[in-house]
Amino acid sequence: MSDAYNKRPNSSKLVISVEELKEIFLFGVDLTDDYGTEMSDKLIEFYILAAQDWLQTEIGGLLLCTQDIEETHDYYINDYVSYGFIKLFRYPVQSVEAVEVQFPLATQALKFDPSWYRVESIGATTQLVPTQGTFSSILLSQGGSFLPLFYSGLQNVPSIWKVKYKAGFQKGQIPATMKEIIGMKAAMGPLNLAGDLIAGAGIATKAISIDGLSQSIGTTASATNAGYGARIIQYQKQIDHALTHLRRSYVGLPMVVA
């Protein structure tokens, strides 16, 4: 790949390269048209990025590439007394940069000591554990008194927590199963286009006759099926199977307590 392509803005966001997609998932596929023009890297790159967005949507909260996140969360008294438990929205969590709480009517947010942060990466949770003093330290407001929320008897308050953190897989650490799913999903676009180019869009057979000599070519393409339809169907089956195991590992069993 040329240096010019490596400097493209999207190149750093790809979990698999254009070359990897061609060599692994499009092996044996002719990616040129009738005039010998090769399918552009820009087009293939688009399908890779689309496949990555699709997987992140399928596995809710998953981030494939590292991003800086800033979120607000509601206050729940039961979570707060459980060492300030907060369930973050995106994972895997690499590090938590800041945890703040903005009390109602307060002019400034209370910032907690970074040494208190306890982070679970895949579970996407953070808690606050005081590194010195007693547990009551975690319940102190800026004025040195217990949180006014306790005195007023409030059980929950919306959006007073603010958490800044870094989430996503580091480069080179994305699980092979995820890369395989992305590769198969991204390959479907080029396979559909290449299938139409075998003999022409929607053409199942082509025949040529000159002076009594004839030649015919038959393909698996039709008005409703691409030339590489069989490979696309096989990829989809593999994706569905792999997603089942991926959801068990990263999403688990959804549960609601009424």
Side-chain angles (χ1 to χ4, degrees):
M1 184 181 295
S2 66
D3 290 339
Y5 181 78
N6 283 323
K7 293 177 182 178
R8 290 168 61 90
N10 285 333
S11 296
S12 61
K13 300 178 183 178
L14 301 179
V15 302
I16 61 173
S17 68
V18 173
E19 276 81 5
E20 285 178 313
L21 190 73
K22 290 179 179 179
E23 293 174 6
I24 301 173
F25 301 99
L26 297 173
F27 180 77
V29 178
D30 183 3
L31 299 178
T32 60
D33 62 15
D34 293 341
Y35 302 98
T37 304
E38 189 173 356
M39 190 177 294
S40 70
D41 287 348
K42 184 177 181 180
L43 185 149
I44 296 176
E45 181 184 272
F46 169 82
Y47 284 115
I48 295 174
L49 290 172
Q52 292 176 197
D53 287 344
W54 170 83
L55 181 60
Q56 289 178 152
T57 302
E58 285 292 310
I59 309 297
L62 176 70
L63 271 182
L64 292 168
C65 300
T66 301
Q67 293 183 26
D68 292 317
I69 311 292
E70 183 174 319
E71 296 174 353
T72 58
H73 291 265
D74 296 345
Y75 160 86
Y76 295 97
I77 187 171
N78 290 335
D79 289 343
Y80 191 79
V81 297
S82 299
Y83 291 91
F85 176 88
I86 299 176
K87 180 71 171 72
L88 303 174
F89 297 144
R90 309 308 297 263
Y91 64 89
V93 179
Q94 291 187 19
S95 62
V96 173
E97 312 299 331
V99 178
E100 304 174 0
V101 59
Q102 179 71 55
F103 303 131
L105 304 180
T107 57
Q108 291 183 336
L110 171 63
K111 297 182 180 181
F112 292 92
D113 188 332
S115 65
W116 293 14
Y117 305 161
R118 298 295 181 269
V119 181
E120 207 289 306
S121 178
I122 299 299
T125 62
T126 181
Q127 291 179 280
L128 302 170
V129 179
T131 55
Q132 59 183 354
T134 62
F135 174 64
S136 63
S137 302
I138 200 173
L139 304 176
L140 294 180
S141 67
Q142 289 172 312
S145 60
F146 285 100
L147 281 180
L149 302 178
F150 283 105
Y151 280 129
S152 59
L154 296 176
Q155 298 296 307
N156 65 280
V157 180
S159 302
I160 68 169
W161 287 105
K162 180 183 290 185
V163 184
K164 299 177 183 178
Y165 64 100
K166 192 180 297 292
F169 287 101
Q170 293 182 345
K171 193 173 183 63
Q173 294 185 353
I174 297 176
T177 300
M178 291 185 184
K179 295 180 69 175
E180 182 185 28
I181 291 174
I182 292 167
M184 290 188 291
K185 187 70 175 179
M188 291 182 179
L191 285 172
N192 268 319
L193 296 176
D196 284 344
L197 296 174
I198 294 176
I203 297 176
T205 61
K206 180 184 289 187
I208 300 174
S209 179
I210 301 176
D211 295 333
L213 298 177
S214 63
Q215 181 183 32
S216 63
I217 300 174
T219 73
T220 59
S222 68
T224 57
N225 185 63
Y228 293 103
R231 185 182 291 198
I232 292 172
I233 292 172
Q234 182 59 35
Y235 277 172
Q236 188 60 57
K237 290 180 179 179
Q238 291 179 248
I239 289 172
D240 293 341
H241 180 73
L243 271 178
T244 300
H245 295 283
L246 208 59
R247 288 193 182 100
R248 290 174 182 171
S249 298
Y250 289 91
V251 179
L253 180 65
M255 181 179 296
V256 176
V257 179

